[in-house]
Amino acid sequence: MGEKRIALAAPEQCTGCGACAKACPKQAILFRDDEEGFPTPFIQADKCVECGLCSKVCPALNSAKSEPIRQAYAAQILDRDALKDSTSGGLFTVLSREIFRRGGVVYGCVWDEQYNAVIKKAENEKEMKPMRGSKYVWSWAGDTFPEIEAFLKAGRTVMFTGLPCQVAGLKNYLRKEYDNLYLVDFFCGGSPSPYAFHEYLKTITCDVPLDRLNFKFRDKSKHGVGVHISYEGKNGRIHQSYVRNPYFFSYHTKVFHRKPCYHCQYRYFQRVEDLTIGDYWGVGRFHKEFDIRAGVSTLLVNSDKGEALLASIRDQLQLSPTRVEDIALGNNLTLGDKRVEFHAPAFRSAFFATIKTRGWTAAERKFLFNKTRLKLWLKQRMPDKAVSAIKKILRRRG
Ligand SMILES: Cc1cc2nc3c(=O)[nH]c(=O)nc-3n(C[C@H](O)[C@H](O)[C@H](O)COP(=O)(O)OP(=O)(O)OC[C@H]3O[C@@H](n4cnc5c(N)ncnc54)[C@H](O)[C@@H]3O)c2cc1C
């Protein structure tokens, strides 16, 4: 047999959406973890019939159809209990409730028992609640694609929520527009390595096992909306800012994102989804009318379907029209600005190598106790006056 001519996306391009494996009529594509712990597809040559469907549906090789943003809003759910539990303004909950009211199915991300982030379906509020909360880890969506297609063909309303590359993967996989499908994505600052996350988890699960950890990335309960982590510790619940928490600090250095995140083609003004949700960082500069500490979302409307869905949930939201440019000021990495470089720090491969050979704590000590973190930490703990006094002294000392 001659050499196979079918090529999947290169590892630097593959987002791991799973569309290729699910589209393959011979189930010839399997996934295995690469050296950074990202599941990556490979073709079993003996099963491949070279139909080429895998590369046709790949959102890295073929950009999914996109539309320009039509309208932008600042938004917050009126239900205060749901708002407390949501990452930003609670739009995901409002949208899900509308889909359930129509007898539909919602897809979103939950933790499994081993703290892997996976996309699952929910048919009611109880099943939807664990989807709330951003999980800053790469998530597996692929298994849901055939199920979604079956629901759509049976005439059921479906809302898929996920990261932009996952939505693009689903859209390419379906290869057909469905009136009963709503696609919703989130601004995404990058999808981190599940391996790195689990190595970090090992350092905090010595006293409290995984099933009692209740790990939350964006806990508003103590400090309001922001980037605070919380989890159960030996002596009660631990709350940490993103600077204090080594995993969340690493996320902000972009050290362990999946490789294509650094040149993501889905983070611009052209959107592949009906609606896009994000955090409205800096909203106070433009909208004084919101309770900002409770969390405000941005909502981008990108299609007729998106407009119609918004019309049916308006009464459950505090909603103010806003400017895309103002949103982009606080979210320039995830929305639009091609001048903003999104690159990995120089120590990316050394960071992974150190975790592999000496564990998370050694990697943290070697790469994450740096000047930037110290400065941020001081800034968070001290009033501005004290920070500038220290800076002055340091400058004098050279
Ligand atoms: C990895 C990641 C990076 C992000 N980066 C940014 C950013 O840079 N800027 C910004 O403004 N917003 C970012 N967000 C989105 C933001 O944190 C909120 O999720 C969003 O504002 C929704 O708010 P909400 O109150 O409606 O969310 P919630 O009600 O808390 O719902 C969270 C939603 O996110 C989905 N979700 C959670 N984790 C994952 C995951 N790992 N994979 C796929 N879907 C997931 C859930 O299914 C649910 O639909 C990011 C989210 C994730 C998961």
Side-chain angles (χ1 to χ4, degrees):
M1 213 198 251
E3 201 180 302
K4 300 282 179 193
R5 277 170 288 122
I6 300 300
L8 297 172
E12 299 73 41
Q13 297 173 297
C14 174
T15 62
C17 71
C20 56
K22 297 299 156 186
C24 175
K26 298 289 171 193
Q27 289 85 47
I29 299 176
L30 298 178
F31 275 74
R32 68 176 156 228
D33 287 358
D34 68 10
E35 70 284 0
E36 296 174 349
F38 291 105
T40 307
F42 67 97
I43 300 176
Q44 301 174 87
D46 56 330
K47 290 192 180 169
C48 176
V49 290
E50 297 191 41
C51 67
L53 207 49
C54 51
S55 38
K56 258 188 218 144
V57 299
C58 172
L61 298 176
N62 302 288
S63 300
K65 191 169 163 256
S66 61
E67 299 284 339
I69 298 165
R70 296 184 184 184
Q71 291 151 12
Y73 296 92
Q76 193 176 59
I77 186 172
L78 295 176
D79 173 344
R80 299 296 291 188
D81 289 331
L83 181 59
K84 261 189 238 152
D85 256 4
S86 307
T87 307
S88 57
L91 276 167
F92 166 68
T93 295
V94 179
L95 290 165
S96 301
R97 285 176 178 166
E98 175 59 17
I99 300 298
F100 297 144
R101 197 188 62 75
R102 297 179 187 188
V105 190
V106 169
Y107 284 83
C109 183
V110 296
W111 294 121
D112 71 9
E113 303 80 51
Q114 299 308 313
Y115 270 88
N116 297 304
V118 283
I119 305 283
K120 286 251 151 91
K121 79 166 193 293
E123 301 200 56
N124 53 51
E125 177 112 4
K126 189 170 170 233
E127 288 171 357
M128 172 272 280
K129 277 187 181 167
M131 293 173 178
R132 283 186 190 143
S134 293
K135 290 113 190 141
Y136 288 83
V137 189
W138 177 89
S139 59
W140 171 242
D143 288 340
T144 63
F145 293 179
E147 190 180 84
I148 290 171
E149 189 174 29
F151 277 133
L152 292 171
K153 284 186 173 158
R156 193 114 182 245
T157 301
V158 175
M159 177 172 82
F160 179 86
T161 63
L163 302 179
C165 52
Q166 293 172 327
V167 174
L170 172 62
K171 209 166 168 171
N172 278 6
Y173 168 86
L174 292 170
R175 291 185 298 149
K176 182 175 171 280
E177 299 274 333
Y178 287 90
D179 291 341
N180 48 340
L181 173 65
Y182 294 93
L183 295 171
V184 179
D185 78 332
F186 304 96
F187 289 166
C188 176
S191 218
S193 152
Y195 167 71
F197 180 57
H198 284 99
E199 288 299 304
Y200 158 70
L201 281 186
K202 281 183 195 163
T203 67
I204 59 166
T205 46
C206 333
D207 304 313
V208 176
L210 270 189
D211 59 345
R212 287 205 288 115
L213 198 61
N214 191 14
F215 192 90
K216 274 187 122 176
F217 269 110
R218 299 272 304 271
D219 187 353
K220 291 176 179 170
S221 62
K222 209 165 168 187
H223 305 281
V225 74
V227 274
H228 288 92
I229 274 185
S230 76
Y231 57 89
E232 288 308 318
K234 193 166 66 171
N235 302 314
R237 196 133 185 98
I238 292 172
H239 289 259
Q240 291 177 329
S241 73
Y242 84 97
V243 179
R244 182 86 198 282
N245 182 276
Y247 180 83
F248 221 7
F249 182 72
S250 323
Y251 179 79
H252 287 84
T253 67
K254 307 179 198 74
V255 64
F256 46 35
H257 292 354
R258 197 164 178 135
K259 284 180 181 153
C261 298
Y262 302 108
H263 44 87
C264 174
Q265 58 174 306
Y266 294 111
R267 70 182 173 104
Y268 298 112
F269 290 122
Q270 285 283 126
R271 309 298 306 183
V272 295
E273 316 74 18
D274 300 302
L275 296 168
T276 299
I277 305 173
D279 297 296
Y280 201 150
W281 300 120
V283 59
R285 284 153 73 191
F286 312 108
H287 299 277
K288 305 276 179 236
E289 65 275 25
F290 287 93
D291 173 359
I292 291 163
R293 208 179 126 83
V296 181
S297 287
T298 63
L299 176 65
L300 306 179
V301 181
N302 318 316
S303 72
D304 290 341
K305 268 196 282 176
E307 274 177 18
L309 190 56
L310 174 61
S312 54
I313 57 168
R314 275 190 118 94
D315 60 340
Q316 296 166 59
L317 292 170
Q318 181 181 347
L319 199 67
S320 299
T322 195
R323 291 178 352 131
V324 177
E325 295 77 7
D326 295 341
I327 297 173
L329 280 179
N331 243 323
N332 52 11
L333 264 187
T334 51
L335 183 68
D337 196 340
K338 290 194 180 182
R339 290 163 305 176
V340 179
E341 284 208 35
F342 191 160
H343 53 73
F347 58 85
R348 187 177 185 281
S349 10
F351 185 77
F352 274 106
T354 310
I355 301 181
K356 275 251 150 85
T357 50
R358 294 164 52 210
W360 173 276
T361 308
E364 182 190 346
R365 286 210 184 110
K366 192 162 173 199
F367 300 104
L368 301 174
F369 287 154
N370 55 24
K371 258 195 200 162
T372 317
R373 191 168 174 199
L374 183 66
K375 270 192 211 156
L376 286 166
W377 186 76
L378 285 173
K379 209 172 160 197
Q380 281 190 346
R381 308 214 108 212
M382 293 183 187
D384 286 350
K385 267 189 186 169
V387 175
S388 36
I390 290 172
K391 270 190 194 161
K392 236 186 201 169
I393 296 169
L394 290 176
R395 239 181 279 134
R396 256 191 249 138
R397 285 190 181 173

